[in-house]
Amino acid sequence: MSMAIGRLVSMRSCSGWRPFLIFVPLLFILSHLFSVLELHQNSILEGHQKGHKKKFDHLVLGPAAGRGLPSRLHCEGIRALNKTRALNPSHATNVADGVTFITVFAVYNTSTDVRANDRPSDLVSVGNASYSKIERSLAILDVFINFIQVTMPLSNVIVLTNPELNVPVHRDMVTVLPIQGEYSRDKLMLQRIRSYITFLDMRLKEQSQRQGRINHYIFTDSDIAVVDDLGHIFNKYPNFHLALTFRNNKDQPLNSGFIAVRGTTDGILRARNFLQKVLEVYGSKYMSASRMLGDQLALAWVVKSHPSFDVRRFTKAQAYLEEIDGASVLFLPCALYNWTPPEGAGQFHGMPLDIKVVHFKGSRKRLMLEAWNFFNSSSDIWDMLCLILGSGRTKYDF
C-alpha cells in the first residue's frame, strides 16, 4: 500500500514539472524575440532621424593632416607654418605661350534664361550671400574664374554650353561658346567629351590662320581652384600632346577633371583623336555609367589596354610620358594637379607644398565658395589652403 502511494506521489511530481520545463525555454524565446523587435524599431527610428539630419551650413574645422611629414603643408589652425612661395601674378612662371582654360557649364530643370527663374524657398547662405540652386552653379563658375584670374591673370577662360542656355557671365577674358549637343543630366559626361572634340576641331580649322605665339588649352571641371601658375607644364614637359591626371586607384586611376592639350597643330590633332577613341569606348562599353564615371572608365580602358602600359606606374606620384594610340600622353599626379580636399584623396597624408590645383568635387562645393571668401578677405593663399585642409569630413554640400 505504501509503495503504491509513493509511486502515485512520484507520478504527480513529474507531471507537475513537465509544464514548467516546457514554459522556461518558451519564456526565453519570447524574451529574445521582443529584444530583436525593439532593436529593429530603434534602428528604424535612428535611420529616420539620420535621413532627416540637416547638413552643416558652415565649416567644421579639425586638425590638418600631414603635420610633421616632409613636403607637406603644416598648419596651426588656419595659419600656415611653412609657406614656400608668395602668390604674386607679376612673378608668374615665364611662359612664352598663352594658356586658355575650357570648362562645360549646364543647369537642369530651368528655363533658357538662368536668371529668369523664381528663387525657391530653400535658399542656401554662404557668408553674406544667399543662393538658389541655379545661383549656386553660377557662383561656383564665378569662383572658378576668380581663381584663374588671380593666379594666371593673362589666361583666357572659355565656357562651353548649350546654345539654348543664356549664361550671364560678363567678365574680361571670358567667352561663352555655345556648342550644340545633349546636355541632359544623364548624358552630360558624354556631351562634355563631345564638346571638347568639337572645340578642338574648331581650333584645328583656325590653326592655319594663326601666327605668332601658340595658345595651349587646359580642359577642367568648373569646381576647381587653380592655386599656382600652370603654364610651366608646357615648358617643363615639351614633348607631350595631351596630359591626364592619375591617382593610385585600381578601378578609376584617371580623373577627367583636368586635361591639358598642347596648342600646336600636331598636339591638337593627336589630342582630338585620342578623345575620339575615348568617346567610342564610352559609347560601346560604359553607357550604363553615362551619368557619372563613364568618361573616367573609358579613359582608363584606352590607357590600360595599350600593350606596353604598366599600371604599376600609377602607384607612384611622379609625372611620366607614355605613347598611347599615337599620342604622347603626359601623366601628372593628382596629388599636385588635381588634389581633392579631406573626405577623399589626401586626407591622410595632408597637402603637398607644391600643389597646383584643388578639386572641390562631390560634397565640397560649399567649401569652394568658403575658401574664396576667406582668400578674398585675407589675400593669403597658404592660410586659405589650411582652411581647406582642416575642413575635415564636414558634409557641407548644397
Side-chain angles (χ1 to χ4, degrees), residues 236-237 246 313 316-321 330-333 337:
K236 185 177 181 180
Y237 307 100
F246 72 92
R313 301 197 74 168
K316 296 181 180 180
Q318 298 174 351
Y320 64 96
L321 278 168
L330 172 65
F331 291 91
L332 297 169
Y337 296 92

Side-chain angles (χ1 to χ4, degrees), residues 29 46 50 237 380:
I29 292 170
E46 288 177 8
K50 287 180 180 178
Y237 307 100
D380 192 310

Side-chain angles (χ1 to χ4, degrees), residues 119 124-131 366 369-370 373 377:
R119 292 160 66 89
V124 171
S125 295
V126 179
N128 296 323
S130 295
Y131 303 97
R366 173 189 287 275
L369 301 188
E370 297 268 14
N373 288 345
S377 63

Side-chain angles (χ1 to χ4, degrees), residues 277 281 285 298-309 311 324-325:
K277 175 68 173 178
V281 171
K285 295 180 177 294
L299 264 177
W301 191 94
V302 170
V303 169
K304 292 164 69 174
S305 64
H306 197 269
S308 64
F309 190 78
V311 295
I324 307 288
D325 286 342

Side-chain angles (χ1 to χ4, degrees), residues 227-391:
V227 297
D228 194 12
D229 190 276
L230 294 173
H232 73 280
I233 297 173
F234 302 96
N235 283 346
K236 185 177 181 180
Y237 307 100
N239 299 318
F240 77 90
H241 297 120
L242 76 155
L244 304 172
T245 56
F246 72 92
R247 59 204 170 194
N248 187 17
N249 184 309
K250 181 180 178 181
D251 298 320
Q252 299 167 35
L254 299 171
N255 184 273
S256 58
F258 182 103
I259 301 174
V261 174
R262 186 170 296 280
T264 61
T265 300
D266 194 40
I268 295 173
L269 178 61
R270 291 176 187 270
R272 183 250 179 239
N273 292 340
F274 180 90
L275 290 177
Q276 182 63 42
K277 175 68 173 178
V278 173
L279 183 64
E280 292 169 1
V281 171
Y282 197 156
S284 63
K285 295 180 177 294
Y286 300 109
M287 285 304 293
S288 59
S290 62
R291 182 166 184 169
M292 187 178 294
L293 301 180
D295 55 340
Q296 297 186 157
L297 295 172
L299 264 177
W301 191 94
V302 170
V303 169
K304 292 164 69 174
S305 64
H306 197 269
S308 64
F309 190 78
D310 185 358
V311 295
R312 290 175 296 183
R313 301 197 74 168
F314 286 151
T315 62
K316 296 181 180 180
Q318 298 174 351
Y320 64 96
L321 278 168
E322 188 82 22
E323 291 292 322
I324 307 288
D325 286 342
S328 179
V329 182
L330 172 65
F331 291 91
L332 297 169
C334 282
L336 300 182
Y337 296 92
N338 205 335
W339 187 85
T340 303
E343 196 195 342
Q347 60 184 329
F348 302 115
H349 303 298
M351 180 186 291
L353 276 172
D354 47 354
I355 187 172
K356 314 297 181 186
V357 175
V358 179
H359 193 169
F360 297 89
K361 60 188 176 184
S363 60
R364 302 164 180 85
K365 303 296 185 287
R366 173 189 287 275
L367 178 57
M368 183 175 181
L369 301 188
E370 297 268 14
W372 171 256
N373 288 345
F374 180 84
F375 172 74
N376 203 30
S377 63
S378 69
S379 298
D380 192 310
I381 195 80
W382 291 103
D383 289 351
M384 182 202 73
L385 293 176
C386 279
L387 178 79
I388 294 170
L389 185 59
S391 64

Side-chain angles (χ1 to χ4, degrees), residues 171-190:
R171 305 274 298 271
D172 292 340
M173 304 182 74
V174 179
T175 303
V176 177
L177 179 61
I179 291 183
Q180 197 66 45
E182 188 175 359
Y183 290 82
S184 65
R185 185 183 294 274
D186 288 341
K187 299 292 177 61
L188 184 58
M189 295 298 99
L190 196 66

